[in-house]
Amino acid sequence: MVQRESLSANELLETIFSYVTKLSSMKEHEKMLLVLADMGRVLSNAERCSVWLLSEDKERIWTKVAHGIEALEIQSDLGIVGDAIKKDQKLIIDDVYKDARFNSDIDKQTGYKTKSMMVVPIYDEENEVMGAFQVVNSRSSDEIFETRDMERLLLASSYASEILIASKLTKEIEDTQKEVVFTMGAIGESRSKETGNHVKRVAQYSKILALGFGLPEEEAELLKNASPMHDIGKVAIPDAILNKPGRFNNEERTIMDTHAELGYKMIKNSNRPLLQAASIVAYQHHEKWDGSGYPQGLKEEEIHIYGRITALADVYDALGSDRVYKKAWDDEKIYSLLQEERGRHFDPQLIDIFFENLEAILAVREKLKDEFENE
Ligand code: C2E
Ligand code: SIN
Ligand code: SIN
Ligand code: FE
Ligand code: FE
């Protein structure tokens, strides 16, 4: 077996980027699933991967996509994958032959020797388990999967869920893209130990600010769907920096600051209006009105309105939330910072719109407040 260590941050970024580019020009769900299965395999550094789907009567599971082997169908109450699906569980197994659930018949048939395995469920539109993403045999030198590989497989499996849901509902591909974009944003955040609700709140705040600014409903909706992507470039930032439980030193800060341009580069090549908007947001959400922001140091109206809006929505939400490096601020302190930064960090007009719409903003904050998470 060809060994290789897990992807570096840059390779990871390039891999996701190349697959997202492929997906955005693709119309058939079956083909998209094949591409996603392959992405899951590459991202998690595995030799093989399959998408398993549960039959209508829940009696059997079958592979939608299998690399290097024929499509398979087995009883759902046999085997590791069936068990993961039944129990709605993510699994990492170092050696399947030490696992009583493992059904070695498939290995016997195919002559392929399975050793390590990871399985993550995929969900339908009612959030019911409808199948699983399985990868087999880690290519790392110790031949076992780690939590990091699991996170990367989860990224691919959540795309798969969205796509399967879309194919069931025969939704328009544009909608699928929207979901994928949202999922990517949410995963960028969850990796940085921020809750998924952060991106949902930023989305809603952005729409409120956009409407207050006078953007048409359709464009405000576009920005709502694009703004969850603002931190997608964080997927390429090493864990040790992203989740550092304290303040950054200069070097760490410099690396973190690359997330804006990295995110932009990941998605700028798509022609879709949604991804175009998302690339602007990713690029410009840390620019400041007075020109002191990054990465380009743009000022005032040089900063796209999407960038100015998302900047305010993101900082407002970040200040009010616990982070690995700081506690949540209380409301009065947040409001005085926003006023102080009116015309410095933030577009003065948007600060006024923010306070005019405070009631609606607080309603979103309450509705989408963080729940305690123990994962
Ligand atoms: P984030 O935590 O989502 O914060 C987004 C933005 O909110 C920050 O952008 C900053 O403008 C504002 N913000 C958040 N917390 C504070 C605060 O306590 N005081 C003030 N004045 N502003 C705050 P920024 O600074 O460009 O940081 C971008 C991202 O880099 C942050 O996203 C976070 O993920 C990370 N980060 C920044 N500084 C540190 C740090 O010292 N330690 C760690 N572990 N992460 C950091
Ligand atoms: C797969 O291709 O992922 C299935 C490998 C196996 O279990 O034989
Ligand atoms: C099992 O889950 O144990 C059977 C399926 C497989 O080996 O890929
Ligand atoms: Fe950011
Ligand atoms: Fe953010």
Side-chain angles (χ1 to χ4, degrees):
M1 146 171 118
V2 184
Q3 258 180 27
R4 81 175 309 290
E5 291 313 311
S6 179
L7 302 188
S8 72
N10 269 335
E11 290 170 321
L12 178 68
L13 181 68
E14 266 169 29
T15 304
I16 296 174
F17 172 55
S18 68
Y19 283 101
V20 168
T21 309
K22 273 188 217 167
L23 287 175
S24 55
S25 63
M26 217 168 264
K27 293 232 181 307
E28 286 165 56
H29 295 109
E30 302 259 323
K31 281 199 200 135
M32 290 178 100
L33 273 179
L34 267 160
V35 169
L36 281 162
D38 202 47
M39 173 164 122
R41 181 182 63 76
V42 174
L43 292 182
S44 64
N45 199 21
E47 277 193 345
R48 293 184 172 201
C49 102
S50 312
V51 176
W52 292 86
L53 294 180
L54 192 57
S55 64
E56 205 76 42
D57 60 12
K58 305 198 179 211
E59 301 278 316
R60 287 157 298 122
I61 55 172
W62 47 283
T63 50
K64 186 89 175 166
V65 180
H67 284 267
I69 57 166
E70 303 280 298
L72 298 169
E73 186 164 328
I74 55 180
Q75 268 171 266
S76 59
D77 55 2
L78 296 176
I80 296 169
V81 176
D83 201 46
I85 291 175
K86 201 168 63 198
K87 295 187 180 141
D88 186 5
Q89 268 177 352
K90 302 182 279 225
L91 296 175
I92 296 184
I93 295 163
D94 295 347
D95 183 355
V96 290
Y97 279 87
K98 295 190 178 134
D99 191 304
R101 294 167 295 184
F102 181 64
N103 165 13
S104 60
D105 290 353
I106 294 172
D107 272 9
K108 279 186 202 124
Q109 274 173 36
T110 61
Y112 181 80
K113 179 84 162 60
T114 305
K115 187 171 181 288
S116 50
M117 187 188 288
M118 273 196 300
V119 185
V120 301
I122 50 183
Y123 302 92
D124 68 12
E125 67 275 18
E126 261 105 45
N127 223 19
E128 303 272 340
V129 182
M130 61 179 286
F133 224 92
Q134 173 203 38
V135 293
V136 175
N137 288 357
S138 169
R139 298 165 73 195
S140 66
S141 47
D142 60 8
E143 298 181 18
I144 60 179
F145 292 108
E146 293 164 45
T147 323
R148 181 193 45 211
D149 303 320
M150 171 70 87
E151 283 172 7
R152 292 174 179 186
L153 180 62
L154 281 168
L155 179 68
S157 78
S158 31
Y159 290 168
S161 284
E162 300 303 344
I163 282 163
L164 291 169
I165 290 165
S167 80
K168 260 195 169 170
L169 302 178
T170 57
K171 265 207 225 150
E172 278 306 293
I173 199 76
E174 185 81 17
D175 281 355
T176 315
Q177 289 290 329
K178 194 159 82 188
E179 297 299 328
V180 167
V181 164
F182 195 82
T183 309
M184 284 180 66
I187 283 176
E189 296 287 345
S190 73
R191 218 194 114 230
S192 67
K193 302 226 173 9
E194 293 159 20
T195 74
N197 276 353
H198 168 63
V199 290
K200 294 189 190 161
R201 291 189 301 261
V202 169
Q204 300 289 347
Y205 300 150
S206 297
K207 180 163 184 187
I208 293 170
L209 294 170
L211 289 173
F213 189 82
L215 297 186
E217 162 69 30
E218 209 177 292
E219 202 178 356
E221 184 67 21
L222 179 76
L223 179 60
K224 183 183 98 179
N225 292 320
S227 60
M229 286 285 272
H230 65 274
D231 275 335
I232 186 60
K234 283 182 181 174
V235 300
I237 304 297
D239 278 317
I241 294 179
L242 192 61
N243 293 321
K244 179 183 178 179
R247 309 296 319 183
F248 284 159
N249 63 31
N250 287 341
E251 193 197 336
E252 291 161 343
R253 182 77 226 191
T254 306
I255 293 169
M256 176 54 99
D257 286 357
T258 63
H259 80 276
E261 192 171 353
L262 288 170
Y264 166 68
K265 285 190 174 157
M266 280 174 68
I267 44 185
K268 71 172 192 281
N269 291 322
S270 165
N271 292 326
R272 298 184 175 280
L274 179 67
L275 288 176
Q276 281 290 313
S279 75
I280 295 169
V281 163
Y283 205 13
Q284 299 191 359
H285 73 283
H286 288 296
E287 298 291 354
K288 296 185 178 180
W289 182 254
D290 67 6
S292 67
Y294 63 93
Q296 297 181 94
L298 301 176
K299 74 189 250 261
E300 300 179 11
E301 263 122 37
E302 287 168 7
I303 311 166
H304 195 285
I305 187 61
Y306 300 168
R308 282 179 273 152
I309 288 174
T310 309
L312 177 53
D314 182 37
V315 172
Y316 169 65
D317 199 70
L319 292 174
S321 310
D322 287 339
R323 288 283 192 266
V324 280
Y325 63 99
K326 61 163 257 294
K327 297 299 283 177
W329 291 15
D330 64 43
D331 287 357
E332 287 317 308
K333 198 170 163 199
I334 295 174
Y335 299 147
S336 53
L337 179 119
L338 296 185
Q339 288 296 2
E340 249 168 62
E341 295 291 331
R342 185 180 182 281
R344 293 188 196 165
H345 190 154
F346 306 115
D347 179 346
Q349 196 187 338
L350 287 177
I351 292 293
D352 298 342
I353 294 165
F354 176 92
F355 285 106
E356 282 157 23
N357 291 278
L358 193 54
E359 216 173 299
I361 285 168
L362 289 173
V364 169
R365 190 174 167 194
E366 177 58 27
K367 185 159 169 241
L368 293 173
K369 70 177 175 228
D370 294 328
E371 283 160 32
F372 292 101
E373 295 194 338
N374 47 15
E375 263 198 300

